[in-house]
Amino acid sequence: MCGIFGIENHPDAAHLTYLSLFALQHRGQESAGIASVLNGQMNSHTGMGIAAEVFSEKRIEKLSGTSAIGHVRYSTTGSSHIKNAQPLVSKTRHGVLALGHNGNLTNASEIRKNLEARGAIFHSSTDSESILHLLAHSSGDFDEALLEALKKVEGAYSLVILTRDQMIACRDPYGFRPLVLGKLGDSYVVSSETTALSLIKASYIREIEPGEILFIRQGKLKSVKISPRPNFSRCVFELVYFSRPDSVVFGKSVQAVRQELGRFLALEMKEVKADLVMPVPDSGVPAALGFSRESKIPFEVGLVRSHYISRTFIRPSQALREVAVDLKLSPVSEALKGKKVILIDDSIVRGTTSRKIARSLREAGAREIHMGITSPPIVSACYYGIDTPKSEALIANQRELDEIRDFIGVDSLHYLSLEAMLKAAGGTGFCDACFTKKYPIKTPDEVLNFQKAVP
Ligand code: AMP
């Protein structure tokens, strides 16, 4: 759960990168960073918190350059600490390099052990640093060394790398995490999501292909393939929950997919009679609209979200999470009193948020609450970059449907079927392991070992 961005060959590179971090902020709020290059000289700044807290106008001015990359981080490996903030900057035999990574490597602990045995000294506890070390240890010129390094890493990575004279964007052969290419005038731009392109008025060209390394130098592109194509495993949860609805992700409008998810859910919940359909804001909004259009049950705003509280999960401690739900969402009793309500959300993870919401809707006067979830039960951890780390913490891994319904405190609970979710997302080529336990890469334990081994 991170966001990456890069722009090559633009006089205002750092400033545009700074703006883009606002558009990608939903992808991580623990730390933010920018690295830029001016006349072969690299400058960077990282800090804890959101982009607006980390950067001032003065800071941005000091980063002025003709190419820049940026990163917002939510830690999925390595602790929430400034030394893990990205872009990671390192001096290597290829000169100074900066790297921003979104995803989790599944063989990171093995790579790290091997490199440390050969004398490598790691500065952070992130899996991302392994890529820099592999790069430094690989033979040939930079382009060859990068290819050699990437052939050794497994798992999920969308990367943006800045060197003194070029910018590189690449995506793992499975295509777990998104990454797109855009253009602003003569400058190429890469971003986790198209919303950052729209913000800076860049046009969207295409996805960086799964398994593609794109070398961008002085406005010219060179595309190299990492390895023969495996089956694509794009993260379906990006479309269900994580990405912004105004983005195009994996070639699909996120908003349109979510409306379709809601429509399919309405078809599967035909027997439920209600006075109104309401979303858990913000992520449930497009789906509730799709549901309402299909079912002809009126759409209503029954919960108001405070925009001054960040996403509940993005605060990593349980204590903070608990309070944050009440601070973030408050019910509109006028809309709810005496009503039979269909409540739409994208997913249930631990069940704690949904339970609190259900309780507050009842306190506000809702007569019946029927909960509709636009994805199947999450039963297994993600090892590829979404923060659902421990299977034990997932309510659907521990309890049956009626137990979950009772725990949350709703009159009925309906999960969208796997088939309908995949159909709405576009069919095949997705990773759905958190719903099915079918992991496209075999060694997920490695990530857990890595997390245990590195504090
Ligand atoms: P809960 O009821 O505690 O399981 O929380 C469910 C809420 O968390 C839903 O509103 C989801 O939109 C949201 N959610 C699902 N997955 C994640 C995630 N990986 N990180 C942050 N929030 C999430």
Side-chain angles (χ1 to χ4, degrees), residues 1 237 241 283 313 345-354 387:
M1 293 168 73
F237 207 58
Y241 165 73
S283 50
F313 264 78
D345 205 353
D346 53 84
S347 57
I348 299 178
V349 185
R350 295 170 172 84
T352 48
T353 311
S354 313
D387 180 41

Side-chain angles (χ1 to χ4, degrees), residues 178-256:
L179 191 61
V180 294
L181 177 70
K183 204 157 189 197
L184 179 64
D186 293 331
S187 310
Y188 281 106
V189 185
V190 296
S191 174
S192 293
E193 291 184 36
T194 58
T195 176
L197 304 185
S198 313
L199 179 73
I200 63 165
K201 313 281 180 249
S203 56
Y204 168 55
I205 301 179
R206 63 172 174 89
E207 282 188 83
I208 311 285
E209 289 298 317
E212 179 177 22
I213 310 178
L214 208 51
F215 296 92
I216 308 171
R217 192 194 289 256
Q218 298 280 305
K220 300 260 177 323
L221 298 180
K222 180 179 88 177
S223 172
V224 171
K225 283 270 173 283
I226 299 169
S227 58
R229 213 197 97 162
N231 290 330
F232 290 167
S233 299
R234 297 171 159 106
C235 168
V236 72
F237 207 58
E238 288 274 355
L239 295 169
V240 169
Y241 165 73
F242 196 45
S243 298
R244 259 173 56 155
D246 55 337
S247 283
V248 172
V249 166
F250 308 142
K252 289 246 157 198
S253 151
V254 176
Q255 165 108 331

Side-chain angles (χ1 to χ4, degrees), residues 358-403:
R359 192 179 300 159
S360 75
L361 294 186
R362 285 210 200 276
E363 283 165 8
R367 184 148 60 94
E368 283 178 25
I369 306 170
H370 302 276
M371 188 152 196
I373 302 295
T374 57
S375 62
I378 299 181
V379 290
S380 208
C382 176
Y383 300 100
Y384 313 124
I386 294 282
D387 180 41
T388 48
K390 290 196 190 93
S391 294
E392 307 89 83
L394 299 170
I395 191 166
N397 192 43
Q398 303 293 324
R399 303 179 195 226
E400 297 299 325
L401 183 70
D402 51 352
E403 294 174 310

Side-chain angles (χ1 to χ4, degrees), residues 7 82 102 173 181 254 265 316 341-342 345 400 436:
I7 180 162
I82 185 67
N102 173 207
L181 177 70
V254 176
L265 186 63
V341 173
I342 293 179
D345 205 353
E400 297 299 325
T436 59

Side-chain angles (χ1 to χ4, degrees), residues 2 12 58 60 66-67 80 102 133 146 198 272 322 343 403 420 448:
C2 293
D12 211 8
K58 248 195 189 153
I60 302 294
T66 46
S67 294
S80 170
N102 173 207
H133 282 275
L146 178 62
S198 313
V272 179
E322 296 269 330
L343 176 67
E403 294 174 310
L448 281 190

